Amino acid sequence: GTFVRLAGLERKMGFENWKINLEAAKARDPRDPMPHIREGDWAQDDDLPEEALACYYRALEIDDRAAKAWIGIGNTEHRKGNEVAAEKAFRKALECDPIAYEAWNDLGVVAEATDRTSDAEQSYLHALELEPEHLLALVNLANLYMKSNQFDAASTRYEQALAIKEDDFKANYNYGLLQSSIGKPRVAAALFGRACKAEPTELVAWSQRMRACRAAGMWKGCLDAADV
């Protein structure tokens, strides 16, 4: 609702009265789980897992079929390293909403974390069947293919991701790693350069750009990266 969106905007801009608008959203419709889910998402962003879980479970007290609350629980448990609990939550989300493509992507993340590569691939593919432009699933699938040296398949997925969002940090950075690994430092340097623009404080991207520039004989690029 309006109060939840306003709270999100104010929080992003650093205004403290976002809490007031969130409480207004809860008071306006006590049977709406979304304010609690959003509060949980923000607690998760602030690395407050127990507070996040409390918010998600409050949402489930209102509506035990709120798929986004189960997804939030799954992501929080995954961050805590509780993969069994995370997978259980994601599957519960899919019971509530079988076309929740975010949950399919998250199941892939859990499968990958527990060394079930085939299950991870199928989960990412299922997410993309439901939402072909789901950026995170595309990048996760590309990363999975790169780890298993399926460079052509990985390149295809990175290209798809960059067609959706040209300045995505993860897609540019990881595609840069792939290009470096197959001996194309000039292409890698360009990708790392876009990653640096997307996230200027990510020093690892600047370091990789300098290496790629050096390997390609692009000395000016090396100096530009060294100045950061």
Side-chain angles (χ1 to χ4, degrees), residues 75-191:
N75 282 320
T76 306
E77 294 292 3
H78 169 66
R79 289 188 181 188
K80 293 171 63 179
N82 299 333
E83 305 300 357
V84 173
E87 181 166 352
K88 183 178 179 180
F90 293 139
R91 293 198 180 281
K92 186 66 178 177
L94 289 168
E95 286 180 21
C96 301
D97 182 4
I99 61 172
Y101 56 86
E102 304 100 323
W104 282 107
N105 173 74
D106 295 334
L107 268 180
V109 172
V110 170
E112 196 171 349
T114 52
D115 298 320
R116 290 175 288 143
T117 302
S118 179
D119 289 346
E121 180 185 17
Q122 291 307 309
S123 292
Y124 295 143
L125 288 170
H126 202 134
L128 291 169
E129 285 176 12
L130 294 168
E131 177 45 77
E133 294 192 354
H134 186 33
L135 187 64
L136 196 52
L138 281 168
V139 174
N140 285 340
L141 184 58
N143 292 345
L144 187 71
Y145 287 148
M146 183 168 66
K147 288 176 186 175
S148 58
N149 296 325
Q150 299 179 61
F151 297 130
D152 288 343
S155 295
T156 297
R157 298 300 182 173
Y158 285 131
E159 293 286 355
Q160 289 174 343
L162 291 171
I164 296 167
K165 187 180 179 184
E166 187 178 19
D167 64 347
D168 183 73
F169 174 80
K170 290 182 179 179
N172 279 294
Y173 180 77
N174 287 298
Y175 198 14
L177 292 177
L178 185 154
Q179 294 294 337
S180 289
S181 71
I182 61 175
K184 294 184 177 180
R186 187 172 291 271
V187 178
L191 290 162

Side-chain angles (χ1 to χ4, degrees), residues 167 169 190-202 205-206 209:
D167 64 347
F169 174 80
L191 290 162
F192 290 134
R194 290 202 305 212
C196 292
K197 287 182 180 179
E199 296 287 349
T201 60
E202 288 288 346
W206 289 101
R209 180 170 180 256

Side-chain angles (χ1 to χ4, degrees), residues 32-52:
D32 183 2
M34 280 310 299
H36 300 282
I37 293 170
R38 288 289 175 258
E39 191 174 18
D41 292 343
W42 297 333
Q44 191 176 166
D45 289 344
D46 291 339
D47 198 22
L48 299 169
E50 299 310 321
E51 184 175 325

